[in-house]
Amino acid sequence: ISSDIRLSSVIFVGVRLEQEFGSWRIGHVYIISAFVGSLTAALFIKNNPVVTSSSALFRLLGAMLSVLIRNWKVYSDKALLALEFLCSYALVLFV
């Protein structure tokens, strides 16, 4: 079930960011963060093969948070609600 939640989260967040920045930028952010996250996990977990997309997902959530903070005045009436949703969403995925 957790992989289904992660995949739907990547789609939910990725589509929104792709509309904002374009597919090349978001694709680069996703691939680089997935590679760095897998490399970091491989350094700390020595005897087990590891493939992870969690680092890429949290990087996309971080990018979405930076967009929200950067465009705070545009989202003035919805900004607090969006920030609460984004933080609670990240907390659920983290747990």
Side-chain angles (χ1 to χ4, degrees):
I1 289 180
S2 65
S3 63
D4 293 336
I5 293 171
R6 279 192 209 123
L7 181 61
S8 63
S9 301
V10 168
I11 291 170
F12 175 72
V13 173
V15 166
R16 172 69 179 111
L17 288 174
E18 187 178 359
Q19 291 172 350
E20 183 85 23
F21 296 110
S23 59
W24 283 102
R25 282 187 180 174
I26 298 306
H28 284 124
V29 167
Y30 185 82
I31 290 171
I32 290 171
S33 60
F35 177 73
V36 170
S38 294
L39 182 65
T40 304
L43 289 173
F44 289 108
I45 303 173
K46 300 264 182 193
N47 295 327
N48 294 329
V50 175
V51 177
T52 179
S53 64
S54 297
S55 61
L57 173 60
F58 282 110
R59 178 64 179 148
L60 288 179
L61 286 172
M64 191 172 234
L65 181 64
S66 70
V67 167
L68 179 66
I69 290 172
R70 191 181 72 188
N71 298 326
W72 189 262
K73 293 186 182 198
V74 174
Y75 302 117
S76 63
D77 55 343
K78 302 176 192 174
L80 191 55
L81 180 64
L83 185 62
E84 288 175 1
F85 173 74
L86 190 60
C87 290
S88 64
Y89 197 62
L91 182 66
V92 166
L93 288 174
F94 185 72
V95 170

